[in-house]
Amino acid sequence: MAEAHAAVAFSFSVTQEGLNVHISHDALKGVYLSGIRSWRKRFVRFLNRFASGVFPAKFWSLGLLTLILLSGALLGYDVTCGFNAKIHDAFFTSQSFLTWMCSYTITCTLIWLAGVLLIRYLLKLLLSYHGFMFEPHGKISMSTKLWAVCTKILGGSNPQLYSYQASLPRLPVPAIKDTINRYLRSVRPLLCDADYDQMVKLSDEFSVTMASRLQRYLVLKSWWATNYVSDWWEQYVYLAGRGPIMVNSNYYGMDLLYHQPTSKQTSRAASFVHALFAFRSTLDKENIKPIKVNGVVPLCSAQYERIFNTCRLPGVDNDTLHHWMDARHIAVLHQGRWFKVMCYKNGQLLGPKELEEVFETILNNKSAPSPGEENLAALTAGDRIPWAQARNQHFSNGVNKKSLHAIEKSAFVVVLDDEEHNLSEEDCTGLSNYGRSLLHGNCNNRWFDKSFNIVFFANGRLGLNAEHSWADAPIMSHVVEQALGFEYMHLSYDSDGKVSGVATVRPVPPQRLAWSISDECQEVINTSLALARNLADDVHLNVRAFKHFGKGLVKTFKMSPDAFIQAALQLAHLRDKGHFALTYEASMTRLFREGRTETVRSCTSEMVAFARSMEDPNSTDEERHTLLRKAADFHVSQYKEAMIGKGVDRHLFCLYVVSKYLKLESPFLQKVKLL
């Protein structure tokens, strides 16, 4: 109860002498500093939004323009060519010096805003050019060089994370004919002649009946919405799924294989959690440079908005994503017990040494889980409908609602796992078990709905499990990369593996979350756990460290490493299964505003021809090499087309969604959906 009393700013008691009021000055100071931090964060966010709204212009340019126009007016020159006089006559009746100053201020502001809009429009036109992607490697045309120079000039300097968002072009809607032709080409190596002819017939029927009508709706949406794909993709592909998101949707990431800074679990957890919050602070201030292709073309940064303080909430029909503007705590899971850990005190982020003390307190806590608490997280691993119903029935009020809110609103979830994973290049068992633990764990020790879980193992290894709907894997990879870099460059450990330095403040003790879980709710939990473990048992995962060669060797052959791997996959599948299968590879579309991914169908006729030649004893090495080169070149061109919005699957998916809204049935779209 000590931490509960410490958290109360004031209390009172009634005695014989009267009413005694006790005020905690430390608590009031903490409330005051927290409020200051919150308002400072809001103010910084407001300034950043305004700065991004006028980028690439700078605020000082408005002052410079005003100075030039006023100087010209004082010298008797009307630099505005009569525009200021019209503004003055429209807004003022008197001819005083003050009114003329006001009119010049308005004129300067309007001219400056017009210039900002013109520059942003020109920049958007420049960013709509993608010809640089299709030029031969090492041979850049003069037009592309000129384009790059103009883009860099208009792109401004010192951009913040979201500075280019308003200048990014919209994702274009491909022509129906082009999409159908690409689709038919992609399925040709997978269908027999009769099935392929039937698909051609269905596509022709679709083209002359409802295709144009559906396309008009998509074009209208592309004009009205920021991105004609992303919101439907998030809603229907990710959030509408009623099956388990564990394994099926969530993904995992591993620690550095050849570098382990400490074997102390609590020390590693403290340093890495501190590094993550340091990155969040930089993210909140938007002091992160947007990623640029070839240092020229910026990628969309919209997915960074929901990294922290985000959770997927179950619904009976559809799940929802909820993002909180701020969260100063994390939720920690250890041996089936949930804790709330405050990571700030008096408005300041706790250092690694203070966090280490908090995590050691949790490990030293030997209390048993309350009834139902140990397997509670299994609700997020099972089917979504039972979880949504249980949440509405058993977690909508009282102590359960409060504790669940603490988990869902947390910045992220930390799991202090009792397992150890010792990795070896010679024995793939360790890597495979490590991967399985991060992918699904015991099915009851990961909160799969959270934007991400950071798992710290008993020997100091770490990893993550991330929910997929809020963003794609490259965003989470960037976060972890930054945190690992911060840990390596700015944090250190002593000879015992503990965090270096001394604690400067006394951290708030971890708060054990309380639960009152009924027998009925426990039955739902156990059902979800059984289903999840059946799913996990059906997973076959084999992780190996491949060190024979890397992308550097493949590049010496003047071949795309990605295309090389895709060719190897097709050959391996042919040798293993004796046939080919529809193959999905993700390509990003972040060259466009709010772009996410597009599908690259890598099982092409060219790839099939190469794989078959490898199994044909009559084929020569020269013929195989020629076929491989042809397959790789086509794969690269297909990948680049997907990046610029000329893919197949997202367009067909949106056409299918529109057909459902209009209650139209298309045999072609239904067949595509089944394939």
Side-chain angles (χ1 to χ4, degrees):
M1 293 292 292
E3 64 270 19
H5 288 297
V8 179
F10 68 92
S11 61
F12 66 90
S13 61
V14 180
T15 66
Q16 293 179 348
E17 289 77 16
L19 183 65
N20 289 334
V21 179
H22 307 279
I23 298 177
S24 172
H25 295 284
D26 290 338
L28 285 178
K29 180 181 178 182
V31 171
Y32 169 75
L33 292 175
S34 295
I36 292 296
R37 174 181 173 273
S38 179
W39 281 107
R40 184 171 64 243
K41 185 175 180 180
R42 288 188 178 96
F43 182 68
V44 169
R45 186 181 292 115
F46 170 78
L47 291 181
N48 287 336
R49 288 291 182 267
F50 192 81
S52 298
V54 300
F55 189 84
K58 305 293 184 181
F59 291 130
W60 58 263
S61 62
L62 175 59
L64 179 63
L65 178 63
T66 304
L67 179 63
I68 293 174
L69 294 185
L70 288 176
S71 299
L74 293 175
L75 294 175
Y77 297 100
D78 184 8
V79 184
T80 65
C81 300
F83 182 64
N84 180 67
K86 294 180 180 179
I87 293 294
H88 184 274
D89 294 340
F91 288 94
F92 306 101
T93 56
S94 67
Q95 299 294 321
S96 65
F97 177 77
L98 179 62
T99 59
W100 278 102
M101 288 293 294
C102 292
S103 67
Y104 262 104
T105 302
I106 296 174
T107 300
C108 292
T109 303
L110 292 176
I111 293 175
W112 182 73
L113 289 176
V116 169
L117 293 176
L118 177 61
I119 293 174
R120 279 174 44 176
Y121 179 75
L122 292 175
L123 182 59
K124 181 176 287 189
L125 289 179
L126 290 171
L127 295 178
S128 299
Y129 171 76
H130 302 118
F132 70 96
M133 297 174 60
F134 297 92
E135 294 195 344
H137 184 69
K139 298 180 180 179
I140 304 177
S141 65
M142 184 56 64
S143 59
T144 296
K145 291 180 180 179
L146 181 62
W147 162 82
V149 171
C150 293
T151 302
K152 285 189 174 183
I153 293 174
L154 291 182
S157 59
N158 299 320
Q160 293 182 304
L161 182 61
Y162 303 117
S163 294
Y164 291 111
Q165 289 299 105
S167 300
L168 291 175
R170 297 174 184 266
L171 181 68
V173 182
I176 287 282
K177 181 179 178 181
D178 293 341
T179 297
I180 291 178
N181 288 339
R182 292 189 188 101
Y183 172 77
L184 292 175
R185 197 181 197 286
S186 71
V187 299
R188 184 64 189 95
L190 304 171
L191 300 177
C192 64
D193 292 343
D195 290 340
Y196 179 75
D197 292 340
Q198 177 65 17
M199 185 58 74
V200 172
K201 181 180 178 181
L202 291 176
S203 66
D204 292 340
E205 178 184 338
F206 172 71
S207 298
V208 299
T209 54
M210 67 179 72
S212 298
R213 182 182 177 187
L214 302 180
Q215 181 79 345
R216 283 194 294 270
Y217 280 94
L218 281 190
V219 172
L220 178 63
K221 187 189 177 188
S222 72
W223 293 343
W224 176 255
T226 308
N227 189 294
Y228 83 93
V229 174
S230 293
D231 59 335
W232 284 351
W233 191 255
E234 179 180 299
Q235 179 181 355
Y236 296 116
V237 173
Y238 289 120
L239 299 178
R242 300 295 79 198
I245 61 174
M246 182 197 78
V247 174
N248 294 322
S249 180
N250 285 34
Y251 58 91
Y252 72 92
M254 292 182 169
D255 195 2
L256 295 174
L257 181 58
Y258 304 110
H259 175 71
Q260 185 178 351
T262 179
S263 60
K264 298 288 186 181
Q265 182 183 33
T266 55
S267 303
R268 187 75 193 281
S271 293
F272 201 77
V273 167
H274 178 83
L276 285 171
F277 272 104
F279 177 83
R280 192 185 73 164
S281 178
T282 306
L283 178 65
D284 288 341
K285 297 172 186 175
E286 301 179 16
N287 291 333
I288 299 175
K289 299 295 183 184
I291 299 174
K292 292 185 177 182
V293 177
N294 296 333
V296 178
V297 182
L299 300 182
C300 178
S301 302
Q303 294 181 55
Y304 285 86
E305 295 178 1
R306 299 184 293 186
I307 296 174
F308 299 95
N309 331 323
T310 301
C311 192
R312 177 173 178 156
L313 305 181
V316 175
D317 298 318
N318 255 75
D319 291 354
T320 56
L321 274 176
H322 194 95
H323 173 71
W324 289 266
M325 293 306 296
D326 193 18
R328 292 176 295 160
H329 73 278
I330 57 175
V332 179
L333 176 61
H334 176 244
Q335 293 183 346
R337 303 161 305 157
W338 285 96
F339 297 85
K340 178 180 178 180
V341 173
M342 297 302 300
C343 296
Y344 287 81
K345 187 172 184 181
N346 296 334
Q348 297 296 317
L349 174 63
L350 296 180
K353 201 64 181 178
E354 290 85 4
L355 289 171
E356 182 183 52
E357 179 182 334
V358 173
F359 291 135
E360 287 178 349
T361 301
I362 293 176
L363 259 61
N364 293 330
N365 187 323
K366 302 303 180 183
S367 61
S370 60
E373 182 182 15
E374 183 176 10
N375 296 327
L376 179 64
L379 287 170
T380 67
D383 287 334
R384 306 304 294 175
I385 294 178
W387 170 209
Q389 293 171 338
R391 188 177 189 275
N392 294 334
Q393 185 175 354
H394 303 288
F395 298 89
S396 59
N397 53 62
V399 66
N400 287 348
K401 179 180 180 180
K402 183 179 179 181
S403 295
L404 180 62
H405 182 69
I407 297 175
E408 293 175 340
K409 189 186 176 182
S410 62
F412 49 90
V413 167
V414 167
V415 180
L416 299 177
D417 207 306
D418 290 333
E419 293 182 355
E420 291 189 9
H421 290 286
N422 298 303
L423 311 181
S424 171
E425 297 177 13
E426 293 75 22
D427 183 12
C428 69
T429 305
L431 277 172
S432 300
N433 291 337
Y434 180 32
R436 287 179 63 91
S437 181
L438 294 172
L439 181 63
H440 52 68
N442 294 330
C443 304
N444 65 349
N445 57 353
R446 312 282 184 263
W447 197 265
F448 294 101
D449 285 357
K450 197 62 189 163
S451 55
F452 66 95
N453 293 239
I454 295 292
V455 185
F456 297 96
F457 296 102
N459 62 339
R461 285 283 180 188
L462 66 83
L464 69 92
N465 181 286
E467 202 275 324
H468 206 330
S469 62
W470 61 273
D472 300 309
I475 304 300
M476 201 64 233
S477 298
H478 185 201
V479 176
V480 175
E481 182 182 77
Q482 292 296 311
L484 288 171
F486 186 93
E487 178 190 29
Y488 180 79
M489 292 185 292
H490 301 290
L491 304 177
S492 61
Y493 303 89
D494 60 25
S495 57
D496 295 329
K498 287 185 167 293
V499 174
S500 300
V502 294
T504 57
V505 298
R506 183 182 178 87
V508 177
Q511 176 189 351
R512 175 77 186 274
L513 297 183
W515 306 92
S516 178
I517 302 175
S518 64
D519 293 340
E520 181 183 357
C521 183
Q522 291 186 48
E523 290 181 7
V524 179
I525 293 174
N526 293 333
T527 301
S528 295
L529 180 60
L531 186 148
R533 284 182 171 168
N534 286 335
L535 176 61
D537 290 340
D538 197 38
V539 173
H540 298 272
L541 181 65
N542 193 308
V543 183
R544 294 176 180 269
F546 186 85
K547 296 188 66 177
H548 302 290
F549 60 87
K551 64 180 181 181
L553 177 64
V554 180
K555 287 182 177 181
T556 62
F557 306 146
K558 296 183 178 180
M559 180 175 293
S560 162
D562 173 60
F564 180 86
I565 292 297
Q566 293 300 323
L569 288 174
Q570 296 303 326
L571 177 58
H573 191 276
L574 176 63
R575 288 176 173 176
D576 184 44
K577 303 294 184 181
H579 61 84
F580 298 97
L582 193 64
T583 310
Y584 176 104
E585 181 188 6
S587 168
M588 67 93 179
T589 56
R590 290 171 60 199
L591 294 172
F592 305 96
R593 191 170 181 180
E594 293 187 11
R596 290 195 60 164
T597 60
E598 176 58 274
T599 302
V600 178
R601 294 170 170 245
S602 54
C603 183
T604 61
S605 298
E606 290 77 6
M607 287 289 187
V608 167
F610 160 71
R612 284 177 174 159
S613 72
M614 293 295 292
E615 298 299 282
D616 183 4
N618 296 322
S619 295
T620 63
D621 289 344
E622 290 76 11
E623 293 172 339
R624 291 166 178 164
H625 181 265
T626 301
L627 291 172
L628 174 60
R629 180 71 62 184
K630 182 179 179 182
D633 291 344
F634 181 78
H635 178 81
V636 170
S637 65
Q638 184 182 225
Y639 193 97
K640 292 178 178 178
E641 285 184 347
M643 288 180 63
I644 62 174
K646 295 182 179 180
V648 174
D649 291 72
R650 301 302 182 268
H651 187 200
L652 292 178
F653 161 75
C654 289
L655 291 171
Y656 178 78
V657 172
V658 174
S659 72
K660 289 304 177 183
Y661 277 127
L662 299 178
K663 298 181 179 180
L664 300 175
E665 294 295 331
S666 168
F668 171 71
L669 292 177
Q670 189 64 35
K671 191 75 172 178
V672 169
K673 182 172 178 286
L674 292 175
L675 283 177

